[in-house]
Amino acid sequence: MTHFPSLAPGRLPAGWLAGAAAAGAAIALSACGGSDSGPPQLAAATPGKLAQCSQLAALALPSTRITSVTSVAATDGGNGQPAMPEHCLVSGRMNERTSAVDGNAYAIGFEMRLPQDWNGRFFHQGNGGLDGAVVPATGPIGGGAPNTTALSMGFAVLSSDAGHPQPTPFFGADPQARLDYGYQAVATLTPMAQGVIKAAYGKAPDRSYFAGCSNGGRHAMVAAARYAKDYDGVLAGNPGFHLPKAASAQLWKVQQYASIASQGANGLPDISRAVTPAEYSTVAARITAKCDALDGAKDGMVSDVAACQAAFDIQTDVPTCSGERDGACLTPVQKNTLQRLFAGPRLADGTAAYSNTWFDPGVAGKDFALWHYFIAQNLDPGSVSLVFNTPPLPVSTFVSTPPLKIALDYDLNRDYGKLFATSGAFTESSWSFMTPPRETDLSTLRDRGGKLMVYHGTADGVFSAADTARWYDALQTAEQGRAPDYARLYLVPGMNHCANGPATDQFDMVTALVNWVEKGQAPDRVIAQARGAGSAVVNAEVPASWSAQRTRPLCPYPLVARYNGSGDVESAASFSCRP
C-alpha cells in the first residue's frame, strides 16, 4: 500500500500512484456496497421520548452519585452557538476516592444531556488536552464551528473529566488517575451512561457513537480498539493516538528553535523569535506557489500534499537572506533548523522518536504557532514530566522549575525510554495506557459492522497528519486492502489542529458516520466549507482571494480532491476524489 514521504522532502515513494489507484478501486467498491462477504449491516436507531426529568435524581447506579438533575429549556442559538433543544441535564461523579499515593481526592466527573425528542442514539464526547474538566455535553460533530451539534440532532450526549480535576497535570502522580485518563474512565462511564439512558427513555440506546478531536480523537481511537463491542461508530479528529511521543517531540522542537533564538529578558531563549510569523508566512506562500496547481486548479489551496512534499524544497524555494532578516527570507541556519524540525526527532542511533510534519500552507496559521511556541514550552513540559514519564517528576520539583527550563533540559536519548517504562505502583507505561493496543487490529469493530472515520488537518502543529496517514497505510496492509470497508481517513488541506488555518474547515462528519453505520452509505466524500465573512463564526485565516463560503470535498485517503477541468473553482461540485 502507499506511503507518504516520512522524512524530508524528496521524491515520491515508488509505486505511490499505483497504490493510490488500488485504494481508489477499493473505496469505489465499498461505496457501491462491497462484497457479499463484507461486514454485517447494522439496523437504524429508533426514536424515543424523555420521561420526567426530575425522576432521574433518584436513580441508583453502581459507584455513581447523581449530584444534580436540571430541566433545560430550548435555545435559539446565536453569537456563533448552535441552537439547543429542550433537554435534561444530569451531573454526577463515579468512583470517588482518596489516593493512597498522593493523598488527593479523585472521581470521574460527568454530565449527560438528554433531549426531550431522542433519536435513539448515545454519543460519548471525547474531550481534549489533559481533560480535567466536564465541558458541556453538546456533542461536537467535527471541524471548526459547526452549525449544529449531536445534542441538537437528538443524541443523548455524555461528557466527562476523564477521572481527575484541574489543575492538570498534577494527576500524573496518581497511578489510577493516569489509567482513567488513558482508557479506564471510558470503560467505567459507558455502562453508567447506558443505564441513565434506559431510565430516561425506557430502553437502552439502539446505536452508540464515540467522537472527539485532539486528545478526544485519541480517546476515540482507543475506543475503536478497546471498546468496539460498545460502540457502533467512532469519529476521531486530529487524533493524538501517539500522544506520549508527540508531547516528547514538542520539547525537542523547543530545543531546535532555542538553538537559533535570541535571549529574552529572563535569560532564557525567546523561541518565538526563532522564526517569526512573517517568516512562516513567507514559507507558506512559497509552498503555495510551488504546489498550488498540483491538484489541477490554481486556487490558493494545496490538496495534493503528497506531491507537494516531493515538489517543495525549503533550501531552494524560499529566498535566502543576503542581509538583515526582513520577513521575506530565511537565513541558512533557519532553513536548516526548519528542515530538521519538519523531518522529526530521531534518537542517536537514527530511530525516529516521532513522525515528520508535512510542509503545508497552514504552517503560517496562528494555531500552528500556538502549538510550536506557547504550548510546547509552557504546557508540554508538565504533561511529559508528570503524566507520560515513569516514574513522574516529583510535583515539588516541577512547581519550582520554569517549564521552559524543563523543556531545554529534556534529553531525548536519556529520557525517551521513560515513555515506555513502569515503576513500582505505576504498573503501566504511558505508551500502554495512552495508545490503542494493536492499532492495526480493529477486527472486532469490523466484524460487528462498526465503522471508523478519522480526519486530520494537514497543517496540525502538534499531532502529525503524516503519522496518521502512516497508520492508515499500515491498517490497509493488515486488512489486505479492505480497510475502506469500515475505516476511512480524510485529510483536510491547510487545516491546523482540529480547526482554523487557510482551509475549508467546517464539516459534519457525524451525519456521514451515522449514514454509513445504519444505512450502509459509504462516505466517498464529505463536503467542507470555508468560514469566511458572513459565517456564524468567521475564520480570519480564510484568504481574501477565496469565496467566503468556498466548498471542497474531503476525500478518503489517499485520494485527492482534483479539479475536473471546468466549473467554478469555489464549488466542491467542480472537484472529484481521484488518485
Side-chain angles (χ1 to χ4, degrees):
M1 189 52 199
T2 176
H3 290 271
F4 276 178
S6 59
L7 294 172
R11 79 187 80 186
L12 283 173
W16 188 90
L17 290 178
I27 291 168
L29 175 63
S30 178
C32 294
S35 69
D36 292 339
S37 61
Q41 176 59 56
L42 299 178
T46 57
K49 283 281 188 179
L50 180 69
Q52 186 177 358
C53 180
S54 60
Q55 72 183 27
L56 297 177
L59 187 61
L61 294 168
S63 304
T64 303
R65 180 167 61 91
I66 303 297
T67 57
S68 67
V69 175
T70 308
S71 294
V72 181
T75 64
D76 293 331
N79 296 321
Q81 297 300 315
M84 188 178 296
E86 179 183 2
H87 65 276
C88 183
L89 171 59
V90 179
S91 299
R93 295 165 66 81
M94 300 189 72
N95 292 358
E96 294 178 288
R97 63 185 176 85
T98 299
S99 170
V101 178
D102 66 6
N104 292 326
Y106 289 93
I108 303 173
F110 69 88
E111 77 169 38
M112 293 191 68
R113 293 181 185 257
L114 311 169
Q116 183 70 36
D117 295 311
W118 180 48
N119 65 12
R121 303 178 180 97
F122 166 46
F123 187 102
H124 192 146
Q125 173 180 315
N127 296 319
L130 290 176
D131 285 302
V134 182
V135 301
T138 57
I141 62 172
N147 292 321
T148 189
T149 64
L151 178 63
S152 297
M153 296 162 68
F155 287 81
V157 184
L158 166 73
S159 171
S160 86
D161 61 11
H164 57 268
Q166 290 186 339
T168 56
F170 301 111
F171 74 91
D174 179 72
Q176 183 58 49
R178 285 183 167 203
L179 299 181
D180 285 338
Y181 170 61
Y183 67 97
Q184 291 188 5
V186 172
T188 301
L189 288 160
T190 300
M192 179 280 302
Q194 292 170 339
V196 171
I197 290 171
K198 186 172 183 179
Y201 299 105
K203 69 168 186 174
D206 296 315
R207 293 285 162 252
S208 296
Y209 294 83
F210 198 114
C213 198
S214 187
N215 178 56
R218 180 197 66 83
H219 279 303
M221 295 284 278
V222 170
R226 288 186 181 270
Y227 306 120
K229 292 182 180 179
D230 297 322
Y231 291 94
D232 305 299
V234 176
L235 174 61
N238 286 59
F241 63 105
H242 292 155
L243 203 159
K245 287 185 179 180
S248 171
Q250 288 282 89
L251 307 191
W252 174 84
K253 290 175 189 175
V254 169
Q255 296 171 8
Q256 307 316 299
Y257 285 125
S259 70
I260 59 171
S262 57
Q263 192 176 75
N266 59 359
L268 295 172
D270 179 3
I271 67 169
S272 67
R273 299 296 301 169
V275 183
T276 66
E279 289 166 336
Y280 255 126
S281 293
T282 292
V283 173
R286 293 293 172 158
I287 295 170
T288 302
K290 192 75 174 184
C291 302
D292 187 0
L294 295 175
D295 55 16
K298 198 164 185 180
D299 54 2
M301 291 186 74
V302 175
S303 295
D304 195 343
V305 66
C308 187
Q309 303 317 295
F312 175 75
D313 186 335
I314 194 170
Q315 298 291 349
T316 58
D317 292 327
V318 175
T320 302
C321 296
S322 57
E324 293 296 319
R325 290 166 55 185
D326 61 2
C329 58
L330 294 182
T331 67
V333 172
Q334 285 179 305
K335 288 185 177 184
N336 291 338
T337 299
L338 287 184
Q339 188 158 33
R340 183 171 65 250
L341 191 148
F342 277 73
R346 288 189 174 271
L347 303 180
D349 64 2
T351 301
Y354 185 54
S355 175
N356 62 303
T357 299
W358 284 329
F359 284 104
D360 180 282
V363 299
K366 292 180 180 178
D367 182 80
F368 190 89
L370 175 73
W371 285 97
H372 273 229
Y373 293 147
F374 179 80
I375 293 178
Q377 68 173 313
N378 289 288
L379 302 183
D380 285 307
S383 64
V384 172
S385 58
L386 292 182
V387 181
F388 303 140
N389 278 359
T390 303
L393 187 71
V395 171
S396 58
T397 302
F398 173 75
V399 298
S400 64
T401 309
L404 178 55
K405 187 175 188 307
I406 291 176
L408 294 174
D409 289 345
Y410 185 78
D411 186 322
L412 196 64
N413 292 290
R414 179 194 65 207
D415 298 325
Y416 183 69
K418 296 176 183 178
L419 306 179
F420 310 92
T422 61
S423 176
F426 298 92
T427 57
E428 287 195 46
S429 71
S430 68
W431 190 250
S432 173
F433 67 72
M434 289 296 290
T435 65
R438 301 175 303 280
E439 61 188 37
T440 60
D441 179 5
L442 301 177
S443 55
T444 300
L445 183 74
R446 177 198 66 205
D447 291 348
R448 62 182 300 271
K451 301 293 188 287
L452 170 64
M453 293 177 68
V454 182
Y455 65 90
H456 208 135
T458 54
D460 190 329
V462 57
F463 301 139
S464 167
D467 190 43
T468 301
R470 198 172 293 112
W471 159 78
Y472 193 81
D473 290 342
L475 180 67
Q476 269 283 59
T477 298
E479 290 285 6
Q480 298 181 329
R482 296 306 302 265
D485 283 354
Y486 72 96
R488 297 188 179 193
L489 165 64
Y490 302 81
L491 298 177
V492 187
M495 190 174 82
N496 291 154
H497 186 63
C498 296
N500 302 320
T504 53
D505 73 338
Q506 182 171 284
F507 45 85
D508 173 6
M509 289 278 180
V510 168
T511 297
L513 180 60
V514 170
N515 288 340
W516 196 13
V517 169
E518 301 181 24
K519 299 180 181 179
Q521 297 175 359
D524 57 350
R525 55 196 264 152
V526 174
I527 302 302
Q529 180 175 303
R531 294 182 290 118
S535 300
V537 178
V538 172
N539 173 10
E541 294 177 319
V542 172
S545 60
W546 296 12
S547 164
Q549 280 76 47
R550 168 180 284 190
T551 57
R552 284 292 184 274
L554 303 181
C555 298
Y557 170 84
L559 305 185
V560 172
R562 298 194 184 280
Y563 186 53
N564 294 333
S566 62
D568 183 3
V569 296
E570 303 298 339
S571 172
S574 302
F575 292 79
S576 299
C577 294
R578 304 197 301 272

